[in-house]
Amino acid sequence: MDDYFRPLSRLFSKVEINDQKGSGISFGRLVERIARLIVLQEKKGNKVFFIGNGGSAAIASHMACDLLKNAEISALVFNDASLLTCISNDLGYEYVFQKPIERLAQENDILFSISSSGESKNIINAAKAAKKKGCFVVTLSGFNKNNALRQLGDMNFYLPSYSYGYVETIHFAIMHFIVDTVIENKKAGR
């Protein structure tokens, strides 16, 4: 047990955070900035989208549900089996998130792109489509420090680990912290 949880605990302190300028920012400050952005954009009628594959898809679904139900924020995830299989069959799997973003996203919406490797073509294509639409892109990635997804985000959380379990666990905790901060900000009227 110690062999698993001690390294996981140490990895939390190694999460690298940067904004669109590449400058470092404190973890808490970036979470607060994202939470306030979500609340502000929701007041303007904007939405929050979440995308991910596999375990990251589960994180995306969970966070969209929590944001929608608990924070009363318009949040969407594109994990519907019919949608995924339709787009992947007709266009290719690399477009399963890009096409819904192109159709539904509006300027100043927010996209959370969650990918352990940061190299999934479908996640990268969606992030590029969101940027083209004028959306804010928040990335959560791991593995290679210079992964493609991390280069696309306005705000980025990167975990220097090649362990799917560790990366997904920490991404899940980060996302819960963000959603809980949104809920607190809404209750406080911020």
Side-chain angles (χ1 to χ4, degrees):
M1 195 164 107
D2 287 344
D3 290 342
Y4 187 82
F5 286 104
R6 277 197 184 122
L8 178 63
S9 177
R10 284 192 295 271
L11 277 171
F12 272 102
S13 67
K14 294 184 178 186
V15 174
E16 294 180 23
I17 300 126
N18 67 293
D19 60 17
Q20 66 274 16
K21 297 173 189 142
S23 45
I25 183 171
S26 76
F27 185 89
R29 196 161 167 210
L30 184 58
V31 168
E32 186 62 37
R33 183 187 293 177
I34 292 167
R36 287 183 185 216
L37 177 68
I38 290 170
V39 173
L40 175 69
Q41 294 312 117
E42 185 265 341
K43 288 178 183 174
K44 295 178 180 180
N46 290 99
K47 303 167 293 304
V48 181
F49 300 105
F50 295 88
I51 58 172
N53 295 310
S56 298
I59 295 167
S61 290
H62 187 116
M63 294 303 111
C65 289
D66 280 2
L67 209 55
L68 181 71
K69 180 177 110 5
N70 299 330
E72 298 180 346
I73 299 282
S74 297
L76 298 164
V77 66
F78 305 118
N79 292 348
D80 177 75
S82 296
L83 178 66
L84 290 173
T85 57
C86 169
I87 294 172
S88 63
N89 182 63
D90 294 351
L91 304 173
Y93 192 71
E94 64 270 22
Y95 301 105
V96 296
F97 300 127
Q98 176 185 339
K99 291 302 175 185
I101 290 293
E102 287 175 345
R103 182 74 178 136
L104 297 173
Q106 298 174 324
E107 186 175 11
N108 296 320
D109 283 346
I110 301 163
L111 172 67
F112 281 88
S113 300
I114 309 165
S115 172
S116 292
S117 71
E119 297 294 344
S120 300
K121 189 70 174 162
N122 62 339
I123 302 293
I124 292 165
N125 286 348
K128 287 178 180 177
K131 296 293 287 179
K132 194 172 184 177
K133 287 277 207 161
C135 298
F136 297 98
V137 176
V138 179
T139 73
L140 292 93
S141 65
F143 295 16
N144 184 342
K145 182 176 187 156
N146 297 314
N147 69 67
L149 182 61
R150 188 177 185 204
Q151 309 308 311
L152 295 171
D154 296 301
M155 295 163 261
N156 306 286
F157 296 89
Y158 164 74
L159 182 66
S161 174
Y162 284 86
S163 167
Y164 276 102
Y166 288 162
V167 172
E168 289 173 352
T169 298
I170 292 173
H171 283 172
F172 190 66
I174 290 168
M175 287 305 311
H176 255 298
F177 185 34
I178 292 169
V179 171
D180 290 346
T181 304
V182 169
I183 293 167
E184 288 175 19
N185 283 353
K186 281 198 79 172
K187 285 181 184 174
R190 296 188 294 248

